[in-house]
Amino acid sequence: MQKTQETLKKMETVVKAVDDKKGINIKVLDVSQESGYTDYMIFATGTSTQHNNAMNDNVVKNLKSAGFGRPIVEGNSNSQWVLVDSGDVIVNIMTEVMRQYYDLESIWKKSKSIDLFSFEASISNIISSSTSFSVTLTNLLLS
């Protein structure tokens, strides 16, 4: 898929939503070169099914409020693994046991991992201009 500014904003929205609910070991992979159906695959660990549900609810709420519509959600409030599919960004929210058992990240081992520390630092250093934000975010993620 072709990455756009909208895709990058959607990825940022999802990462922030998971982080806001204290997701553990958040990992973002750029799978655009390996996948024909999505650009970013995000993985996060929850401490319980309730924690997974809270992260899922926050992702859905934030995507809708940011204007990206309602994503497709697989899993329910008792699931150890919830998948939120918003098209070009997919997030897998799993308990540690499920994440280790399925080891989905190994499927995408050739994909570029996004350094969230650099990503957050770049965002926090941008104060005023949305154009600067777009240019910096694009340079960081498309490089």
Side-chain angles (χ1 to χ4, degrees), residues 20 23 37 69 97:
D20 286 349
Y37 58 89
V97 170

Side-chain angles (χ1 to χ4, degrees), residues 18-30:
V18 170
D19 188 55
D20 286 349
K21 291 298 179 183
K22 310 298 184 214
I24 301 167
N25 193 17
I26 301 168
K27 186 169 189 177
V28 179
L29 299 177
D30 179 346

Side-chain angles (χ1 to χ4, degrees), residues 20 31 38 102 108 124-125:
D20 286 349
V31 298
T38 193
Y102 286 103
W108 305 103
S124 65
N125 287 331

Side-chain angles (χ1 to χ4, degrees), residues 6-25:
E6 183 174 316
T7 302
L8 298 175
K9 180 67 177 161
K10 187 185 292 184
M11 185 269 293
E12 175 196 1
T13 300
V14 170
V15 169
K16 285 183 176 181
V18 170
D19 188 55
D20 286 349
K21 291 298 179 183
K22 310 298 184 214
I24 301 167
N25 193 17

Side-chain angles (χ1 to χ4, degrees), residues 57-127:
D57 288 347
N58 204 42
V59 168
V60 170
K61 180 183 92 176
N62 283 294
L63 284 171
K64 284 172 56 179
S65 67
F68 295 116
R70 181 167 175 74
I72 298 168
V73 177
E74 295 290 334
N76 60 41
S77 61
N78 296 319
S79 296
Q80 292 190 49
W81 176 7
V82 180
L83 182 138
V84 182
D85 183 347
S86 64
D88 41 9
V89 178
I90 295 175
V91 61
N92 293 277
I93 302 169
M94 310 166 110
T95 60
E96 184 64 33
V97 170
M98 297 302 272
R99 190 164 174 180
Q100 287 180 5
Y101 180 79
Y102 286 103
D103 191 24
L104 294 178
E105 288 125 303
S106 69
I107 294 171
W108 305 103
K109 63 185 170 194
K110 293 182 180 179
S111 301
K112 179 181 173 185
S113 182
I114 304 301
D115 180 358
L116 291 178
F117 181 75
S118 295
F119 176 76
E120 289 177 16
S122 293
I123 291 172
S124 65
N125 287 331
I126 302 164
I127 296 178

Side-chain angles (χ1 to χ4, degrees), residues 21-49:
K21 291 298 179 183
K22 310 298 184 214
I24 301 167
N25 193 17
I26 301 168
K27 186 169 189 177
V28 179
L29 299 177
D30 179 346
V31 298
S32 60
Q33 300 301 310
E34 292 79 23
S35 171
Y37 58 89
T38 193
D39 289 322
Y40 293 102
M41 190 74 65
I42 301 171
F43 299 91
T45 301
T47 58
S48 65
T49 56

